[in-house]
Amino acid sequence: MAAAGATPLLPGLLPATAHAAPSVLTGRPAVLTGRPEFPLVQGGSATAVYVDAADDPAVIRAAGDLQADVERVTGIRPQLVHALPQQVPHLVVIGTIGASPVIDRLIAQGRLNVSQVKGSWEASVTQVVDRPLPGVDRALVIAGSDRRGTVYGIYDTSERIGVSPWYWWADVPVEHRDEVTVPTGPFVRHEPSVRYRGIFVNDEQNLTTWSHRTQEPDKNIGPETYKRVFELLLRLKANYLWPAMHPYSDFFNKHRENPELAERYGIVVGSSHPEALLRNGVHEWDPWAAEHRNADGSLPVYDYTVNPGVISDYWRARARQNATYESSWTLGMRGLHDTALETKYATTIPEKVVVMNDIIADQRRILAEEVGQAAEPQIFIPYKEVLDLYNAGVQVPDDVTLIWPDDNHGNMRQLPNEAERRREGGNGIYYHLSYWGRPKSYLWLDTTQLAKVWQELSRVYEHGADRMWIFNVGDVKSIETGLSFAMDVAWDVDRWGADDVEGFLVEWAGWQFGRRHGREIAAIRTEYYRLAAELRPEFIAKGLVSVVHHGDEAGRRMDAYAQLLERARILGARLPEAYRDAYFELVEYPVHGAYLMNLKYYWADRNALAVRQGRGAGTNRFADLAEAAHSTEAALTKRYNTEVAGGKWDGIVNPYPSQIPKAPGRPAVSRVARQETSGLGVASEGNETGTARPLSFFSGTRDRRFVDVFNTGFLAVSWTAEASHPWVLLSESGGSLTEQTRVWVEIDWDRVPEGTYDATVTVSGGDAGQRVDVPLSVRNDGERARRWARGFVEAHGCVSIDAVHTDRRVARGGARWRTVRGLGRRTGAVEAVPSTAAPVTAEFAARAPELRYRVRFSSTGTFPVTVFRLPSLDERGYRRVAVALDDQPVAVLSGQSVATGNRGDAWARNVEDGVERLTAMVTVAEAGEHVLRVFMVDPGIAVDQIVIDTGGLPVSYLAPPESYRPA
C-alpha cells in the first residue's frame, strides 16, 4: 500500500511480503486490478473504521491504533464505530472469522475469499469489496483467521500508510499527508514460519531506571511501560513475552493490570528458564516461604527434595491466578535467580534426573487441575546444567515444547535430533541478542551481525525448531535493528537468503528514513556490525589489538571507525530535522559510541607502548587522548538521555549501570614527570622498541609501513630522515618535534628494478647527533607477474586468504559450500550446507564438499596453516573441518563443540574473539603454484579466513591483511 505522494512500498519491508499477493510485491495494485484505490482520508474527510463490539478486545483495541495512526499521518481522526452506518461511500471493516457477523456474512456470500487463511494461525486477508453492505459503496475489509491475525492485518495497514513500528520506541517520524489511499488488494498474509515469536526483557536495569523516571514514578516497570512493549511487539508481528525478572524490577504479577493488559493486547506471557509456572523466584519465594514456615518455624528452602509440598503449592497458586489468560507455562526447575538446581537429597546426575522427572509430573498435574486444556503451550528449557540432565534421561512429555538455548553468544549449543523433531510439542529456541554472564557481557549496543543471526536461525529452522523463538533483548532500546530482523525472519524464514541479508537493512532503513537513504544507512550498519564481529566494543581491553603489527592493526580499526563515523555524520546532516532524533538513536549513537569505546583503549595502548619505548611528552599526550575519548563518550551518552527527543529517554542508555556488568570503563594510563631534556627515539612497524624487524614491501600488495619518530624528553628536538634509494618515499623528511610523529614509508614501484632488495631509512637528530637505521626488505615481482599471477601470492612471511575468495568450489554428496555475505570479520564467510547433511570422515576428495585456493609460494618447508572458523557448536557431535595441500594427506581439525561457560578456556576465547583458530601443518616441497584444499567434515561449519605462516608471522589479534591475488 502507498500513501498518496509517499515513498512507494518497499518490497520485503513487512514480514509478510514473501507470502503476500503479487500486488504487494509490485507496489502497483491499482494497475493490476484496474480499480481505483481506496481512500482512508480524502478531501479533508476520514473513512470510518467499523469493528463489531463482540469481536476480541485485542482486535477492538488495535482498531483504535489504526484510528490513531491515520490521524498521525493526516491530522484527521476517523471515527471508530461498532454499529454499521446507514449510508456511507466508504467504510473500513475489521473483524475475525467466526467472531464478526459482518465478516462471516461476506464470506458466506462469496464476496470475501478467505480460503487461503481460514483455519490458519495468525493469518489475514485485506481486500476492497464493492457494495459489501446496504448503504456502503466500498469497504476496505481486514479479516483475520484468529484475533492476532486480524491485529496483524490492522498494523500492516498502519505501516503501509507510513507509521513505523518504531514510531514511539525510536522516534521515527510519521510524514504528514493530506490524503491517504490504499490499493484494492487482495493481500494475503499466510501464517508465520514460527508459531510463537517473542522477547525476553532481561538484565533490564536501564529500562527500569527509565521507566521509573519517565513512565511510572511509583513502580519499577509496570503497566504503562508494558503497554508500550505490547504494542511494539504486535507491530513487529510478535506475540510472546518473557517479562522483566531481576531484583531491581517489579515482578510481572505484582501489578494485576499487567497480565490483564497482556490478555487485552493479545500477548502470550511466559517466563524464563528459572521461573517455573510463571513464578518469579527472585521476588516471590521469600514472602511465600515466610508465610508457609516449617513445623519448627524455620523457613523452607527452594529444594524440591526437601520441601516438595510447599513448592508445589507455590506453583499451584500462580497457575490458579493466571488460569484465564493466554499463557505459556515453563516446566522444570532451577535455583532461585538463575542459579543451579538445588537437590540436597539427590547428588548424582541419575538421582537429579529422577527428581526432575518428578517435578515435571507434579507441574503437569497442577496445570491439568487448575488450567485444564488451555494450559498450552508448555515448554521445557534445557539451559546450562539442565541440558546435562536432559541428555542424561529427563523424560519430557511429548506435547511439551523443547526450547533449545544458544551459548549466550549467538551459537546454538544443540539442536533437535530426528526423534525430537517428530515431537507433538515441537521445538523452539532461546537466543541472545544481549547477554549478561561469562565470559563477558554485551548489554550496551546491538552488536551481533545480522548475517550471523540469519545463519543460526536458518540452521535452527532446518532442524525443525519452529514452534517458539525467544530473543533476549536486554533493555529493548539499542536492539532495535537486531530485533526487527529477528522478528522478520521468525515471520518468514525464507524472506532473506545467504547473499542478501544486507537487503533487509536497505529496506528497513529506507522505511525509517526514506528510500533514498536506505542503501547508505545499510552500508553504515553493515560495516558497524563487521567491526563488532572483529571485536565487540564491550569486549575491548588493554593490549588486545596490536598497535605495532600489520600497519598498526588497532590503528587501522580506528581509521575504519573514523571513516564510518564521518559517513554517518554526513548522512545525518542531510536528513530533515524531524529525523535527527531517530537517526541518532538508530545509527549515529551506536557508531559513535563504539568508535569512542575503541578509541580510548587505542590511545591507552599507545600510552603503554610509549612508556615501554621511553617517550617523554608523547606519553602524556596519549594519556590525555585516552581520557578525552572517555569524556566524549560520557557526554554522548548524556546527550542521549537528556537531550534527544526532549529528554524522553532519561536513563535508558548507560554503558556503566550500577547493578549489572559494565562496558569497559576508563582505561588506566601512565604519565611521566616533565624533564627539561630532549632526545631522539625511533621505533618501526613490527617492533615494540627499536627497528630490528625490517619493514617488508611487496609489489603485489603495494604496502605502506610506518616509522615512529619521537622525543624522549619534553624540549623540542630536530630530526631528519633520509632513504638509501630514490624509490623509497617518505611522508616526512624532518623537522622539529616536541612529542612524536609517524612517518609513512612507501615504494615508487615504477622505479624499482625487478628483484629483491635491501634498503634503509636513516633517522638522525638530537643534540647528541643520534642516528638510527631502519632496515627495509623490498620485493618487486614485476608488473607482468603481478598481472598474470594466479591465486594468492606469498609475501611478508605469510599467505592470508579471505575464505570467500575461492578459486573453485566443489559440491559433493548433496552438500556444498555457500557464501554468507556480511558474516565474519571481512566481507563474508563460507558455510557448509545444508546443516542437516551427514558428516564426512573419510575419502574426502571423493565425498566431501571442497574449497580450493591457488597459492604461489616463494618459500619451501613445513608451515602451519590456520583456519579461522566461526565458533558454532554441536554438543551432540563435532565441529570439524579438514585441510590439505595438493594431493597430500588430509588433516582433520577438531574445533570446540561444547559451551563450557568457563572464563579463559577455549570456548570463552572463541566467543570473545568471534573466531576459533584451528591449525594443521602443510609441506611445500617446491616453490611455485600449489592448491590449498578445505573439506567439510561436519555440516554447518563456517570458515572466515585462512592464514599460512611461512616464517616470522607476528602474533596479533587479527589475521594479516589479505595477500595479493589478481582480481
Side-chain angles (χ1 to χ4, degrees):
M1 300 183 181
T7 301
L9 171 68
L10 304 178
L13 265 177
L14 306 174
T17 52
H19 289 308
S23 52
V24 175
L25 294 175
T26 64
R28 294 181 281 106
V31 175
L32 295 175
T33 64
R35 301 168 63 195
E37 294 190 339
F38 184 89
L40 291 178
V41 174
Q42 195 170 62
S45 177
T47 299
V49 178
Y50 166 79
V51 60
D52 195 294
D55 212 321
D56 193 274
V59 173
I60 297 171
R61 192 211 58 79
D65 278 352
L66 177 61
Q67 181 188 28
D69 289 342
V70 171
E71 184 178 24
R72 289 184 177 101
V73 176
T74 65
I76 301 172
R77 190 176 185 86
Q79 280 188 299
L80 180 61
V81 299
H82 302 301
L84 291 170
Q86 294 294 317
Q87 188 72 40
V88 291
H90 303 100
L91 183 67
V92 177
V93 176
I94 295 172
T96 306
I97 299 170
S100 170
V102 171
I103 297 296
D104 292 345
R105 190 183 318 147
L106 290 173
I107 296 170
Q109 294 170 350
R111 312 293 303 284
L112 181 65
N113 183 358
V114 297
S115 60
Q116 297 184 66
V117 302
K118 187 176 182 180
S120 298
W121 177 266
E122 298 179 347
S124 66
V125 61
T126 300
Q127 178 182 337
V128 173
V129 178
D130 294 329
R131 295 177 298 280
L133 302 162
V136 179
D137 294 338
R138 300 177 80 208
L140 177 70
V141 180
I142 302 172
S145 62
D146 51 28
R147 64 173 181 164
R148 278 189 295 273
T150 310
V151 168
Y152 297 147
I154 292 168
Y155 283 128
D156 267 1
T157 305
S158 291
E159 191 166 2
R160 286 165 176 160
I161 66 172
V163 181
S164 167
W166 295 99
Y167 80 94
W168 193 87
W169 276 97
D171 301 299
V172 175
V174 178
E175 189 169 347
H176 176 82
R177 305 290 175 194
D178 291 330
E179 295 189 344
V180 176
T181 63
V182 296
T184 57
F187 308 103
V188 177
R189 173 185 288 278
H190 293 265
E191 64 181 26
S193 298
V194 178
R195 176 162 290 224
Y196 294 100
R197 310 162 306 282
I199 65 172
F200 182 15
V201 177
N202 191 32
D203 312 320
E204 66 281 359
Q205 185 185 349
N206 291 341
L207 183 69
T208 302
T209 300
W210 166 81
S211 176
H212 180 75
R213 288 179 183 175
T214 68
Q215 304 298 301
E216 300 157 285
D218 60 332
K219 299 179 180 68
N220 292 311
I221 305 185
E224 293 304 312
T225 302
Y226 279 118
K227 283 180 185 177
R228 296 292 187 181
V229 173
F230 296 156
E231 181 190 336
L232 175 66
L233 289 175
L234 293 173
R235 287 182 183 268
L236 293 174
K237 312 302 182 286
N239 58 14
Y240 186 64
L241 174 73
W242 287 355
M245 49 78 72
H246 277 281
Y248 38 75
S249 302
D250 293 343
F251 66 96
F252 192 71
N253 268 66
K254 178 179 181 179
H255 308 296
R256 289 306 301 166
E257 306 100 301
N258 286 341
E260 293 166 1
L261 278 169
E263 184 66 25
R264 188 158 68 86
Y265 275 74
I267 295 295
V268 181
V269 176
S271 55
S272 63
H273 39 278
E275 301 175 280
L277 269 59
L278 299 178
R279 275 294 194 179
N280 182 298
V282 174
H283 289 277
E284 298 190 87
W285 173 252
D286 285 347
W288 180 271
E291 293 175 2
H292 298 79
R293 292 179 178 270
N294 296 319
D296 61 0
S298 61
L299 291 172
V301 295
Y302 194 64
D303 182 336
Y304 196 82
T305 67
V306 177
N307 298 293
V310 174
I311 295 172
S312 181
D313 290 344
Y314 169 70
W315 289 331
R316 183 179 294 275
R318 178 53 42 76
R320 182 179 301 139
Q321 188 179 40
N322 283 34
T324 59
Y325 305 131
E326 189 178 7
S327 302
S328 164
W329 304 93
T330 297
L331 306 182
M333 190 175 182
R334 292 195 81 217
L336 294 174
H337 201 187
D338 205 9
T339 56
L341 178 68
E342 293 183 33
T343 50
K344 181 178 180 180
Y345 298 116
T347 57
T348 66
I349 292 293
E351 289 171 344
K352 291 181 179 182
V353 167
V354 172
V355 172
M356 187 66 77
N357 287 335
D358 290 343
I359 288 169
I360 293 172
D362 188 12
Q363 292 167 337
R364 296 265 289 178
R365 183 167 51 252
I366 291 168
L367 291 175
E369 294 169 356
E370 301 295 340
V371 186
Q373 293 184 349
E376 60 176 23
Q378 296 175 25
I379 66 175
F380 179 79
I381 311 163
Y383 185 70
K384 294 190 175 178
E385 89 286 344
V386 177
L387 179 62
D388 297 333
L389 297 183
Y390 172 78
N391 288 335
V394 168
Q395 297 300 305
V396 180
D398 194 61
D399 61 336
V400 173
T401 302
L402 295 174
I403 304 297
W404 302 96
D406 71 342
D407 68 343
N408 310 314
H409 291 261
N411 308 292
M412 294 306 301
R413 296 171 57 141
Q414 182 173 310
L415 292 172
N417 59 27
E418 186 175 347
E420 288 158 343
R421 291 196 287 270
R422 293 195 298 266
R423 294 170 51 83
E424 178 188 343
N427 297 270
I429 63 165
Y430 168 40
Y431 192 89
H432 289 76
L433 298 173
S434 173
Y435 174 63
W436 167 8
R438 295 179 177 177
K440 288 184 178 178
S441 308
Y442 54 102
L443 301 165
W444 176 37
L445 299 175
D446 172 18
T447 53
T448 302
Q449 278 183 311
L450 298 193
K452 179 179 178 66
V453 176
W454 177 87
Q455 180 208 16
E456 288 294 309
L457 296 186
S458 298
R459 191 161 71 99
V460 160
Y461 197 79
E462 269 186 339
H463 281 77
D466 60 1
R467 190 62 56 89
M468 181 181 289
W469 288 3
I470 307 106
F471 298 93
N472 189 319
V473 298
D475 293 304
V476 181
K477 286 294 284 179
S478 292
I479 307 290
E480 298 96 337
T481 309
L483 174 57
S484 295
F485 180 70
M487 289 306 159
D488 211 56
V489 176
W491 184 274
D492 184 357
V493 76
D494 296 322
R495 175 64 182 89
W496 306 104
D499 60 349
D500 65 354
V501 171
E502 189 173 347
F504 165 83
L505 283 170
V506 173
E507 293 189 357
W508 187 81
W511 189 235
Q512 315 307 320
F513 300 105
R515 189 171 189 172
R516 64 189 177 277
H517 301 304
R519 193 161 297 282
E520 175 65 0
I521 293 173
I524 291 169
R525 288 291 301 191
T526 297
E527 175 67 355
Y528 161 81
Y529 283 126
R530 186 195 69 79
L531 288 166
E534 286 185 342
L535 178 63
R536 292 188 197 264
E538 298 93 339
F539 291 1
I540 191 72
K542 287 190 68 174
L544 191 58
V545 186
S546 175
V547 294
V548 298
H549 295 305
H550 307 314
D552 182 355
E553 70 177 12
R556 287 192 293 110
R557 271 176 56 82
M558 295 319 308
D559 287 345
Y561 264 122
Q563 294 169 22
L564 189 64
L565 179 58
E566 182 65 14
R567 289 177 71 176
R569 284 173 163 166
I570 289 172
L571 178 54
R574 295 205 304 260
L575 292 174
E577 185 63 34
Y579 289 85
R580 299 289 174 83
D581 287 342
Y583 187 77
F584 181 85
E585 296 168 42
L586 296 176
V587 181
E588 188 171 343
Y589 179 82
V591 171
H592 200 175
Y595 165 73
L596 291 168
M597 186 67 71
N598 280 269
L599 184 64
K600 65 186 180 184
Y601 276 85
Y602 174 66
W603 291 129
D605 283 345
R606 293 288 301 272
N607 168 258
L609 179 63
V611 172
R612 296 194 293 273
Q613 292 175 336
R615 301 193 191 194
T619 302
N620 296 347
R621 168 64 67 185
F622 290 139
D624 292 343
L625 289 169
E627 296 197 338
H630 182 76
S631 297
T632 303
E633 176 207 297
L636 186 74
T637 299
K638 182 178 180 181
R639 176 186 167 193
Y640 200 136
N641 288 306
T642 61
E643 298 178 25
V644 169
K648 173 182 176 180
W649 299 113
D650 187 11
I652 197 70
V653 171
N654 181 6
Y656 314 109
S658 61
Q659 299 186 53
I660 60 176
K662 303 165 180 56
R666 186 190 304 269
V669 293
S670 301
R671 284 183 166 81
V672 295
R674 179 179 177 87
Q675 295 180 345
E676 301 301 311
T677 60
S678 66
L680 181 69
V682 178
S684 59
E685 179 179 332
N687 299 278
E688 285 222 339
T689 59
T691 63
R693 186 185 183 95
L695 301 182
S696 176
F697 297 89
F698 173 52
S699 58
T701 46
R702 306 205 166 189
D703 320 276
R704 70 171 190 164
R705 305 295 184 193
F706 68 83
V707 176
D708 282 344
V709 181
F710 54 86
N711 192 346
T712 60
F714 286 78
L715 301 179
V717 61
S718 297
W719 66 280
T720 61
E722 184 178 2
S724 61
H725 295 74
W727 35 259
V728 177
L729 308 178
L730 307 177
S731 62
E732 296 181 62
S733 60
S736 177
L737 59 82
T738 304
E739 296 171 352
Q740 57 245 327
T741 190
R742 176 160 282 183
V743 179
W744 288 100
V745 184
E746 296 183 84
I747 304 299
D748 184 349
W749 293 105
D750 291 336
R751 301 173 64 187
V752 183
E754 291 187 22
T756 301
Y757 302 92
D758 294 328
T760 305
V761 172
T762 301
V763 182
S764 306
D767 295 338
Q770 294 153 286
R771 172 190 170 104
V772 178
D773 288 334
V774 180
L776 282 59
S777 175
V778 181
R779 172 181 151 199
N780 184 9
D781 284 358
E783 187 59 30
R784 177 180 175 84
R786 185 173 187 270
R787 191 181 309 121
W788 292 98
R790 297 196 301 173
F792 293 89
V793 181
E794 176 200 350
H796 315 309
C798 72
V799 179
S800 181
I801 299 169
D802 287 3
V804 295
H805 294 151
T806 53
D807 180 66
R808 186 182 172 194
R809 303 182 190 190
V810 182
R812 294 190 181 105
R816 63 187 177 89
W817 291 93
R818 70 176 173 196
T819 295
V820 182
R821 290 177 56 191
L823 179 64
R825 292 175 161 191
R826 299 287 176 89
T827 59
V830 286
E831 178 189 21
V833 292
S835 64
T836 53
V840 178
T841 57
E843 300 176 346
F844 298 102
R847 298 174 52 206
E850 180 182 349
L851 304 169
R852 294 181 183 175
Y853 304 90
R854 291 182 185 271
V855 181
R856 182 153 64 89
F857 290 95
S858 54
S859 305
T860 59
T862 299
F863 306 126
V865 53
T866 299
V867 175
F868 290 63
R869 80 163 190 101
L870 303 185
S872 59
L873 301 171
D874 182 356
E875 300 203 0
R876 280 187 165 132
Y878 302 92
R879 298 280 82 191
R880 296 167 298 180
V881 67
V883 296
L885 189 68
D886 301 324
D887 294 324
Q888 295 176 17
V890 174
V892 176
L893 306 174
S894 295
Q896 180 74 19
S897 61
V898 176
T900 61
N902 300 322
R903 290 189 177 94
D905 65 8
W907 169 81
R909 291 193 302 273
N910 296 345
V911 296
E912 289 177 30
D913 295 351
V915 293
E916 181 177 25
R917 299 166 181 84
L918 304 176
T919 300
M921 304 301 291
V922 296
T923 298
V924 180
E926 295 183 4
E929 188 176 299
H930 297 264
V931 176
L932 181 68
R933 310 172 72 181
V934 178
F935 299 97
M936 181 200 91
V937 179
D938 294 309
I941 289 283
V943 177
D944 190 21
Q945 296 163 281
I946 305 165
V947 176
I948 306 171
D949 181 0
T950 58
L953 183 68
V955 176
S956 61
Y957 179 79
L958 299 176
E962 190 173 28
S963 297
Y964 171 72
R965 67 181 182 96

